[in-house]
């Protein structure tokens, strides 16, 4: 299996859920830039430019590239130093980032070790999923609100609605990070011949089997 697995796909397509399964099954390091940013946001001594950069998250916009590179490449080096493969989850959201990550992989002599899995989903389904889901504050598990439960079935943690799962913010996230925005990234990886496509509008188990099949 390739050492670098990159998940792309619209918000709510299941990148996080599937990345966690890769981590459990294959012992890969997990780099979710969303998680890195949320954790960075809790730091007390943030500089003014860092605070300004993070404010994009509130409205569903993109955080500036420099902060993404700083957080993602630092975490990537840690995993690589520990001898682990890496699954990147939502870590690439525009063409410039795709190009910069390629440079990083080349520098690390990993250019031939990259596979990109595109988990496809319509913008309509993306909107539905994001506005009807809850997230566990402890383990990050995603639970559809239709299950009408308040405790995480996996770890017992409290379930909450993410601040940016508010409908107005979700619509902006889909505009900025949905299928239109992904077109250039998809074309870039298609040209490199490393793009695999998996239909994200299936059950979690079926998406997982489809991912396993394209990774082999
Ligand atoms: P997520 O948890 O993956 O939905 O990400 C939450 C938010 O973090 C997104 O709506 C963006 O504002 C920001 N974000 C995450 N990853 C990136 C990235 N690679 N580039 C720019 N912004 C990002």
């Amino acid at each position: 299996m390739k050492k670098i697995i990159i998940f792309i796909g619209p918000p709510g397509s299941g990148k996080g859920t599937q990345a966690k399964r890769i981590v459990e099954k294959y012992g890969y390091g997990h780099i979710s830039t969303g998680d890195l940013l949320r954790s960075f946001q809790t730091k007390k001594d943030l500089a003014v430019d860092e605070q300004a950069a993070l404010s994009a998250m509130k409205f569903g916009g993109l955080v500036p590239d420099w902060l993404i590179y700083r957080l993602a490449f630092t975490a990537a080096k840690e995993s690589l130093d520990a001898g682990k493969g890496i699954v990147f989850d939502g870590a690439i959201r525009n063409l410039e980032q795709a190009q910069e990550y390629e440079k990083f992989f080349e520098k690390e002599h990993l250019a031939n070790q990259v596979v990109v899995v595109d988990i496809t989903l319509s913008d309509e389904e993306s909107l539905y999923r994001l506005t009807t889901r809850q997230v566990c504050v402890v383990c990050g598990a995603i639970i559809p609100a239709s299950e009408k439960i308040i405790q995480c079935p996996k770890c017992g943690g409290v379930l909450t609605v993410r601040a940016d799962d508010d409908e107005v913010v979700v619509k902006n996230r889909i505009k900025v990070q949905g299928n239109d925005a992904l077109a250039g990234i998809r074309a870039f990886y298609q040209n490199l011949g490393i793009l695999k496509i998996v239909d994200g509008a299936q059950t979690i188990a079926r998406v997982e089997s489809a991912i396993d099949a394209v990774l082999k």
Side-chain angles (χ1 to χ4, degrees), residues 138-160:
V138 179
C139 73
I142 294 190
I143 315 292
S146 58
E147 292 191 13
K148 295 195 168 45
I149 47 173
I150 52 166
Q151 264 194 328
C152 176
K154 293 189 179 137
C155 75
V158 174
L159 299 181
T160 182

Side-chain angles (χ1 to χ4, degrees), residues 33-34 37-38 57 61 63 68 90-91 93 97 162 173 177:
T33 39
L37 288 163
R38 277 183 288 277
M57 291 174 80
V63 167
I68 299 300
R93 302 200 195 199
Q97 291 181 8
R162 250 173 64 170
R173 282 165 70 196
Q177 307 171 38

Side-chain angles (χ1 to χ4, degrees), residues 8-156:
I8 61 169
S13 55
K15 300 182 294 294
T17 301
Q18 296 298 335
K20 287 190 189 106
R21 303 209 163 201
I22 298 279
V23 172
E24 281 159 21
K25 282 192 293 198
Y26 306 113
Y28 274 41
H30 180 191
I31 298 189
S32 152
T33 39
D35 287 348
L36 288 174
L37 288 163
R38 277 183 288 277
S39 141
F40 187 65
Q41 215 167 18
T42 63
K43 280 180 61 171
K44 294 218 168 62
D45 52 352
L46 288 176
V48 176
D49 63 335
E50 293 170 338
Q51 282 174 19
L54 288 167
S55 68
M57 291 174 80
K58 277 199 207 95
F59 312 103
L62 290 187
V63 167
D65 294 344
W66 59 265
L67 184 54
I68 299 300
Y69 303 149
R70 202 165 93 196
L71 296 176
F73 296 157
T74 305
K77 277 196 191 312
E78 277 170 24
S79 281
L80 293 173
D81 287 349
K84 287 183 181 179
I86 304 172
V87 53
F88 286 93
D89 155 14
I92 295 171
R93 302 200 195 199
N94 61 34
L95 185 57
E96 292 71 28
Q97 291 181 8
Q99 290 163 338
E100 197 64 27
Y101 275 75
E102 272 308 298
K103 284 190 208 152
F104 174 80
F105 298 135
E106 274 162 25
K107 233 191 294 166
E108 298 292 327
H109 309 290
L110 288 167
N112 63 353
Q113 278 298 315
V114 183
V115 60
V116 179
V117 181
D118 180 8
I119 309 183
T120 61
L121 198 70
S122 70
D123 289 347
E124 291 71 29
E125 181 64 18
S126 190
L127 175 65
Y128 175 76
R129 286 190 184 180
L130 294 187
T131 51
T132 56
R133 72 177 188 180
Q134 294 174 290
V135 181
C136 173
V137 294
V138 179
C139 73
I142 294 190
I143 315 292
S146 58
E147 292 191 13
K148 295 195 168 45
I149 47 173
I150 52 166
Q151 264 194 328
C152 176
K154 293 189 179 137
C155 75

